[in-house]
């Protein structure tokens, strides 16, 4: 995926609560400097009403998108299930990803 952002749309940032789902067509990806995590990768989705929403990508989401061969124009649904804890005590964000490939 390449950086691609329609100039006419304002980007909003998805800050999900547990159980929240977002769906949209992939418009591109990008990065921004985050004071906590240095460089943060993002996925840009266009939802049903035409708005562009930026979804922060963690390793799991990046891996899932690659595994599903997600590409520009594909429909993606991401559900945030909340924070969970690994056996080693570290917490992580649990997501589910569905991709409807265009091709």
């Amino acid at each position: 995926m390449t950086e691609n952002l329609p100039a006419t749309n304002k980007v909003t940032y998805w800050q999900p609560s547990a159980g929240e789902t977002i769906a949209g067509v992939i418009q591109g990806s990008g990065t921004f400097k985050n004071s906590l995590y240095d460089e943060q990768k993002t996925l840009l989705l266009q939802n049903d009403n035409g708005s562009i929403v930026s979804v922060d990508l963690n390793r799991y989401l990046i891996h899932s998108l690659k595994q599903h061969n997600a590409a520009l124009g594909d429909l993606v649904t991401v559900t945030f299930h909340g924070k969970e804890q690994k056996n080693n005590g570290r917490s992580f964000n649990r997501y589910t990803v569905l991709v409807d490939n265009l091709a």
Side-chain angles (χ1 to χ4, degrees), residues 1-43:
M1 288 182 288
T2 59
E3 289 193 35
N4 177 15
L5 180 60
T8 57
N9 292 318
K10 183 178 179 200
V11 175
T12 57
Y13 296 93
W14 190 48
Q15 297 176 333
S17 301
E20 190 174 338
T21 297
I22 188 168
V25 175
I26 297 175
Q27 297 298 306
S29 60
T31 58
F32 69 92
K33 290 286 186 188
N34 181 320
S35 59
L36 292 176
Y37 305 110
D38 196 25
E39 190 172 271
Q40 176 69 51
K41 294 181 190 268
T42 63
L43 180 65

Side-chain angles (χ1 to χ4, degrees), residues 52-93:
I52 302 293
V53 180
S54 176
V55 177
D56 290 348
L57 297 175
N58 62 14
R59 277 185 280 175
Y60 171 79
L61 291 173
I62 292 168
H63 176 75
S64 293
L65 291 166
K66 285 181 182 177
Q67 195 172 29
H68 286 90
N69 295 316
L72 289 174
D74 288 348
L75 176 63
V76 173
T77 303
V78 179
T79 301
F80 176 58
H81 299 284
K83 286 201 176 289
E84 294 187 16
Q85 207 164 24
K86 294 181 181 181
N87 292 339
N88 65 8
R90 294 184 69 179
S91 67
F92 67 99
N93 292 328

